[in-house]
Amino acid sequence: MRDKQNTRKIDKGFSLLISIILVFCILGAVVFSVSRKISVEMSESAIQNLGESLDLIKSTIEAILNKEAEFQKLMAQEIASAENPEEQLRFYGGSQTMTKVSMIRVGETEGISDNGEVFTEEELDFSAGGTVDGVAVSQSYLNYMGTWAYTMKCPVIKDGEEVAMLYVEYIYDSIDSSLPNGFYNKKAMLYIMDAETERLVLKPKGMGERDAGHLNLKDFYRANDIQEEGLLEEVDACLRESRDIMFNHDIRGKKALNYMWSVNGGTIYLIGYVPIEAIQQEGTTVNKNIFIVVAVMLIAFFLCCVIYYFNQRQQIRIRKEQEAERELHNRQLAEALQAAQAASNSKTMFLSNMSHDIRTPMNAVLGFTMLLDRDADNPDKVREYTKKIMASGQHLLSLINDILDVSKIESGKVVLSVEEFTLNDLVSSVDAIIRPMAKAKEQKFYVTVTGVKHERLLGDEMRVNQVLLNLLSNAVKYTPAGGNIWFRIIGLKQRSSQFEHIKIEVEDDGYGMTPEYLKTIFDAFTRAENSTTNKVQGTGLGMAITKNIVGLMGGTIDVSSELDKGSLFRVDLEFRIPEGQADRQFWKESGISRMLVVDSDALSGENIQTLMQDMDVAVDTVQSMEEAVRLLQASDIGGKEYQLILVDWDIPGLDARQAAEKIRQLTPGAPLLFVTEYEEEEEVQAPPVEMTGIMPKPFFVSALKEKVMKIQNGGREQQESRKAETDSMEGLNFLAAEDNEINAEILKEVLSIENATCEIVENGQLAVERFAASAEGEFDAILMDVQMPVMNGYEATKAIRALNRGDAGEIPIIAMTANAFAEDEKEALRSGMNVHLTKPVDVELLWQIIRQYVIKK
């Protein structure tokens, strides 16, 4: 029984084995049959794919040719409409596709190329009659670079008539970049052949190996042993009839499928071959893949569980990594959010400050404008309101200028304008602004200049002035009424004989600053915050601008301060010393070689000696009038007279009238100047003695020169100049281009104050037309806005300068624009304008410009 069971089990096992073998045999037969069928179908499909690939390449090349023809027609249209066709021709030259662009006008045999060379059609052959989208195509040829090329020509039509023929040379290499980088695993061979000459003009990249340099179709067939007469005759027929052909032929001992494929109606051909093994390779590969798939399926079942297990572990690990990455990302987002919130808070704080600071003067402008309307019949009120409106407007403008300055500095657009200036002019301009501010708050303002050897320097006076005004205006703002402010310019030891080394100090005894605020004082948008300083308006940009400007000039700035005791700012700068002899020549021509200084302050006398040394003027100093009288008497006896005398007004016990009369007895012809503080200059009067005057401190050579000239000329020149300035604008007629009606009305009224007339036009085009239609000399100058519709100010200026009339190049054109950057001024000057004024226009500056460019032209 057991044997039967064992036999039955063996039979079952054998039957199962036979069944499995049979199943595998059937499966193998099916797989073999399917593989065979797939191989045949794949070969047929590969041949069909070859045709489709060639059709694709053909379509690509024809699309390139059509695009070139279409673009050439567009070029012809643009050249036809261009004022200067030759200049337009050069514009198209130099591209990677178009190696040469040429044109021959109708009726001429020679033309010009984009490179300026003479061009003729003699070397081009269009006899084959090939065209692309109606544009004639020449036979292929080797161009001057040794590259195969072809030329397309199309007519240039203007107003319905052909005026020229446009020729564009293209290289076949430009087609290569648009073709596929080989097919059939780069085992297929492909050439592009010119049908008329049967020359091979391009072998695209990746298209098979090229053992010999085939020149033409016959050379290609001879190298590949394709010499059967019937086959060659069929090939010739295909060329004549512009047909496609495929044929089998052995290439170097291997079976291959050869082809010739017509492109662009047979003007060019794709020729080459594909090895049969490359065509069948896809079918073979598929069969192998089928067997591999069967084997893999058997193995895959056993590996599936293992793979699934490892995959689960991998997914768990990836999930953990993703969670960790997500946590890190969330943390980074939280930090970024905090940074963004901090930036937003900073911006909000700045906008809040700016809103407050801008609205404050704007509220004053609007409020006083309302009061002005109400009290229009009260002249005193009108003057009071307009004065306050002007002050508020100036403050608002200063806020805007601060923001613009920071913007320019941060973008790197600030450029220093280095010119010659004098410390006298610098100190005078600063004093004229700061002293009234200090007086309004009953503050004492002290100005001293010591140790400076050269008064004339080279630098950006406007930027130095801006630094000083920022520091001094802050000193006035943050110092209580009755406080003191010191402005010092101190000459330091020169590091080089060509540079003047100076230190500027601005000190006050005001509110002071905390140590914490001192760390951020030079940061933008920061202001000291306390109950006292919060009443002071400002952007918080002044110190940032000051530090950046000082750094731009190669200097340094530092500050020390203590709460309720005041602050001290120190600026260290160097300025180049200019070369010049003009001032020295003035003293020589004026006959002044010796001068006497009477000053109780010995340091002040030494400073005058230092400055006058370069003028070749000897300076003697005494500290009392008694010593001065003895020196004057001795000089009279010794024959060494003084030609100029300076007396300090603040000498203790000085009687100015007696001193002046005594000095005049001893030196009848020498100018006598009493030196006094700035704030006392208008309060004191020079004694009624001939050739006597008042001069403010601190001492400057240029200021002394002006006073001496004034005394020598008796003030006549200044009176005549003032009279001339008062009456000189009457009868002037201006042409103004301004598109804003309010600005135009203001401009007209401002000019009418000086009895000048003005004609307003709304844009640059109208300005050009009005000036062109005017009589020569009808307008004395043109006031030009920049941003206008139709034609802007720059274009209008260029158009006016280009007019064919005598005064077009001479009439002054003054830019009046809100474009306030340095590059805007340069653009205005480049366009032909004479000067650039920014809005809102300073009326006094406008008068000066008109006197300079209009009256004196």
Side-chain angles (χ1 to χ4, degrees):
M1 180 65 70
R2 187 174 296 170
D3 291 337
K4 288 181 179 181
Q5 290 177 349
N6 290 336
T7 302
R8 195 179 295 115
K9 287 181 180 179
I10 293 173
D11 290 339
K12 288 182 179 180
F14 183 76
S15 299
L16 181 60
L17 179 62
I18 294 296
S19 299
I20 293 174
I21 293 174
L22 183 61
V23 169
F24 271 96
C25 287
I26 296 172
L27 180 62
V30 172
V31 170
F32 178 78
S33 175
V34 171
S35 174
R36 180 83 178 183
K37 183 177 180 182
I38 288 175
S39 180
V40 173
E41 291 178 352
M42 288 294 290
S43 296
E44 294 175 354
S45 177
I47 294 173
Q48 183 180 354
N49 288 341
L50 174 61
E52 292 175 355
S53 298
L54 293 173
D55 284 337
L56 178 60
I57 295 173
K58 168 186 175 179
S59 299
T60 301
I61 295 174
E62 288 178 346
I64 293 171
L65 295 175
N66 286 325
K67 184 177 180 182
E68 291 172 348
E70 181 182 351
F71 184 68
Q72 188 166 340
K73 288 179 182 179
L74 181 60
M75 289 168 56
Q77 293 175 7
E78 291 184 350
I79 290 174
S81 61
E83 294 181 2
N84 188 340
E86 286 75 9
E87 182 68 24
Q88 186 70 18
L89 196 70
R90 285 191 289 271
F91 171 77
Y92 290 113
S95 72
Q96 294 181 350
T97 304
M98 301 184 296
T99 57
K100 184 193 291 186
V101 183
S102 311
M103 183 181 70
I104 299 178
R105 293 184 180 272
V106 171
E108 298 179 4
T109 58
E110 293 183 348
I112 188 171
S113 299
D114 60 319
N115 56 11
E117 295 179 354
V118 176
F119 173 78
T120 64
E121 192 183 330
E122 294 177 357
E123 297 180 359
L124 301 176
D125 186 356
F126 291 91
S127 61
T131 62
V132 177
D133 194 17
V135 177
V137 184
S138 72
Q139 292 182 10
S140 303
Y141 57 89
L142 283 171
N143 64 8
Y144 70 96
M145 297 185 296
T147 301
W148 282 101
Y150 58 94
T151 295
M152 291 185 182
K153 69 175 182 178
C154 70
V156 179
I157 307 298
K158 185 174 183 180
D159 299 330
E161 294 184 4
E162 181 180 338
V163 296
M165 187 66 69
L166 177 64
Y167 299 82
V168 179
E169 180 182 272
Y170 303 91
I171 58 174
Y172 281 100
D173 288 345
S174 63
I175 297 177
D176 192 10
S177 60
S178 300
L179 298 181
N181 187 13
F183 55 100
Y184 287 103
N185 294 326
K186 298 186 179 181
K187 292 182 179 180
M189 174 67 74
L190 173 67
Y191 284 96
I192 296 179
M193 180 186 76
D194 181 74
E196 184 68 20
T197 61
E198 297 186 4
R199 287 185 176 272
L200 307 183
V201 295
L202 178 65
K203 174 185 175 295
K205 59 183 180 296
M207 296 298 183
E209 296 296 330
R210 179 173 168 180
D211 298 331
H214 304 308
L215 301 177
N216 51 41
L217 182 62
K218 292 181 180 179
D219 178 40
F220 174 74
Y221 282 170
R222 184 171 51 252
N224 293 299
D225 198 24
I226 302 175
Q227 298 296 325
E228 293 84 347
E229 291 185 6
L231 184 58
L232 295 178
E233 289 175 0
E234 186 177 357
V235 168
D236 290 337
C238 289
L239 288 174
R240 288 193 303 272
E241 299 170 8
S242 301
R243 292 189 289 109
D244 303 332
I245 185 174
M246 278 190 185
F247 58 89
N248 289 294
H249 197 281
D250 290 352
I251 302 294
R252 291 197 289 273
K254 294 182 179 180
K255 292 182 180 181
L257 182 63
N258 296 263
Y259 57 84
M260 288 183 57
W261 225 250
S262 170
V263 180
N264 192 38
T267 58
I268 59 177
Y269 266 83
L270 304 175
I271 70 167
Y273 60 85
V274 181
I276 295 297
E277 63 180 16
I279 294 176
Q280 294 179 341
Q281 182 178 358
E282 295 180 5
T284 304
T285 302
V286 170
N287 291 332
K288 290 181 179 178
N289 289 337
I290 290 175
F291 289 111
I292 292 172
V293 167
V294 173
V296 169
M297 287 179 62
L298 295 174
I299 298 172
F301 178 78
F302 296 102
L303 295 179
C304 185
C305 295
V306 177
I307 293 173
Y308 178 78
Y309 170 74
F310 283 107
N311 182 63
Q312 288 300 311
R313 291 190 60 183
Q314 180 75 3
Q315 289 298 325
I316 294 172
R317 184 179 64 83
I318 291 174
R319 236 184 346 259
K320 290 181 179 179
E321 291 178 354
Q322 288 177 341
E323 289 175 358
E325 184 178 353
R326 190 179 299 111
E327 184 179 350
L328 175 62
H329 186 60
N330 290 337
R331 188 164 58 251
Q332 291 173 343
L333 286 176
E335 293 174 356
L337 178 61
Q338 291 177 355
Q341 289 174 340
S344 177
N345 292 337
S346 176
K347 182 181 72 173
T348 302
M349 180 64 69
F350 166 64
L351 291 176
S352 176
N353 290 338
M354 286 305 303
S355 175
H356 172 269
D357 291 342
I358 289 176
R359 287 175 186 273
T360 299
M362 182 57 70
N363 179 67
V365 170
L366 296 177
F368 283 116
T369 303
M370 179 187 68
L371 295 176
L372 189 65
D373 180 64
R374 188 193 66 185
D375 299 327
D377 297 330
N378 188 336
D380 294 335
K381 290 287 187 181
V382 168
R383 280 191 291 270
E384 179 185 353
Y385 295 157
T386 53
K387 183 177 179 181
K388 292 179 179 179
I389 290 173
M390 179 68 71
S392 298
Q394 291 293 338
H395 177 64
L396 186 61
L397 182 61
S398 70
L399 296 177
I400 297 172
N401 286 338
D402 276 354
I403 297 171
L404 292 177
D405 263 350
V406 165
S407 175
K408 287 191 289 184
I409 290 170
E410 289 181 346
S411 63
K413 292 183 178 180
V414 172
V415 178
L416 295 179
S417 177
V418 179
E419 296 177 350
E420 184 174 326
F421 70 95
T422 65
L423 287 178
N424 175 46
D425 292 339
L426 179 67
V427 173
S428 298
S429 63
V430 171
D431 188 275
I433 296 173
I434 299 301
R435 192 170 296 278
M437 294 171 59
K439 277 187 176 181
K441 293 186 67 174
E442 299 179 352
Q443 297 167 341
K444 291 290 185 179
F445 180 47
Y446 304 97
V447 181
T448 58
V449 179
T450 57
V452 178
K453 297 181 179 179
H454 301 88
E455 178 188 342
R456 292 188 177 275
L457 303 170
L458 288 174
D460 191 331
E461 181 181 7
M462 184 192 75
R463 291 298 177 183
V464 178
N465 187 283
Q466 185 177 3
V467 168
L468 296 179
L469 289 179
N470 275 339
L471 296 176
L472 288 167
S473 62
N474 277 349
V476 173
K477 290 177 185 177
Y478 297 107
T479 299
N484 298 280
I485 299 167
W486 294 269
F487 171 35
R488 310 182 189 97
I489 297 180
I490 304 168
L492 302 178
K493 182 179 180 181
Q494 292 177 259
R495 299 188 180 110
S496 167
S497 60
Q498 297 179 338
F499 289 87
E500 182 75 25
H501 187 193
I502 65 173
K503 178 170 65 174
I504 299 171
E505 291 185 349
V506 174
E507 186 178 4
D508 63 71
D509 55 2
Y511 304 124
M513 293 171 279
T514 63
E516 292 77 18
Y517 178 64
L518 285 176
K519 296 177 182 178
T520 61
I521 185 173
F522 294 115
D523 295 341
F525 313 124
T526 58
R527 290 192 300 184
E529 299 291 335
N530 59 56
S531 59
T532 303
T533 60
N534 279 348
K535 298 177 182 179
V536 181
Q537 296 179 355
T539 59
L541 300 173
M543 288 297 99
I545 294 172
T546 299
K547 182 175 178 60
N548 278 284
I549 292 174
V550 171
L552 197 62
M553 293 189 292
T556 60
I557 181 171
D558 62 78
V559 57
S560 58
S561 182
E562 191 173 344
L563 271 178
D564 299 324
K565 291 187 178 180
S567 304
L568 171 60
F569 288 85
R570 299 183 184 89
V571 178
D572 194 302
L573 293 171
E574 283 189 312
F575 296 99
R576 181 176 286 276
I577 301 168
E579 297 179 1
Q581 299 293 329
D583 283 347
R584 185 179 299 177
Q585 190 68 22
F586 166 78
W587 299 107
K588 184 177 181 181
E589 292 176 355
S590 300
I592 298 176
S593 59
R594 294 188 70 202
M595 61 182 287
L596 177 63
V597 176
V598 185
D599 195 328
S600 58
D601 185 357
L603 185 61
S604 177
E606 292 176 4
N607 185 53
I608 295 174
Q609 281 182 324
T610 301
L611 290 174
M612 295 303 297
Q613 185 176 355
D614 287 343
M615 302 297 110
D616 292 335
V617 177
V619 179
D620 292 334
T621 62
V622 293
Q623 297 182 352
S624 67
M625 280 303 303
E626 290 76 9
E627 294 180 78
V629 170
R630 285 197 295 271
L631 265 181
L632 290 172
Q633 291 173 342
S635 66
D636 187 41
I637 297 172
K640 296 181 179 180
E641 296 182 353
Y642 292 103
Q643 294 88 26
L644 178 61
I645 300 162
L646 268 64
V647 179
D648 185 7
W649 185 271
D650 295 324
I651 292 178
L654 175 70
D655 187 322
R657 184 186 183 97
Q658 291 182 1
E661 291 175 350
K662 184 65 176 176
I663 291 173
R664 186 57 64 232
Q665 291 176 2
L666 297 174
T667 55
L672 170 61
L673 291 172
F674 287 92
V675 184
T676 183
E677 297 291 341
Y678 259 110
E679 58 186 5
E680 297 175 356
E681 183 184 10
E682 298 179 358
E683 300 174 2
V684 301
Q685 293 183 353
V689 178
E690 185 181 357
M691 298 187 71
T692 303
I694 299 293
M695 177 179 169
K697 292 180 181 179
F699 175 84
F700 288 108
V701 176
S702 57
L704 178 61
K705 176 182 173 182
E706 291 177 4
K707 291 295 182 180
V708 171
M709 289 176 62
K710 183 177 179 181
I711 290 175
Q712 290 176 342
N713 297 331
R716 289 190 301 273
E717 291 183 358
Q718 183 175 358
Q719 293 173 2
E720 292 173 0
S721 174
R722 190 177 295 122
K723 184 177 184 302
E725 290 180 358
T726 303
D727 303 328
S728 59
M729 291 188 201
E730 186 171 358
L732 294 181
N733 186 27
F734 296 90
L735 173 62
E738 175 60 72
D739 62 324
N740 185 285
E741 293 182 3
I742 295 177
N743 289 343
E745 182 180 353
I746 292 173
L747 178 60
K748 202 171 224 180
E749 292 299 324
V750 167
L751 291 174
S752 68
I753 295 173
E754 293 288 328
N755 299 318
T757 57
C758 178
E759 182 174 338
I760 307 292
V761 293
E762 297 176 357
N763 57 62
Q765 180 66 44
L766 295 177
V768 176
E769 294 173 356
R770 180 63 185 92
F771 179 75
S774 68
E776 190 164 332
E778 179 179 346
F779 295 110
D780 296 288
I782 299 175
L783 307 176
M784 186 72 72
D785 191 12
V786 171
Q787 292 188 3
M788 295 181 291
V790 184
M791 180 183 286
N792 65 38
Y794 301 140
E795 296 170 347
T797 300
K798 293 176 183 177
I800 290 174
R801 295 302 189 204
L803 291 176
N804 187 18
R805 52 184 285 172
D807 58 346
E810 299 176 359
I811 185 168
I813 301 179
I814 301 171
M816 297 178 62
T817 173
N819 298 345
F821 289 141
E823 55 267 27
D824 299 319
E825 181 175 359
K826 292 178 182 177
E827 180 66 23
L829 298 179
R830 279 198 298 266
S831 68
M833 298 182 184
N834 297 85
V835 69
H836 178 272
L837 292 179
T838 57
K839 295 178 181 178
V841 175
D842 186 329
V843 176
E844 291 301 324
L845 181 58
L846 176 60
W847 295 151
Q848 294 177 18
I849 295 300
I850 292 175
R851 293 186 184 103
Q852 179 180 355
Y853 288 92
V854 180
I855 298 174
K856 296 182 181 180
K857 70 173 179 175

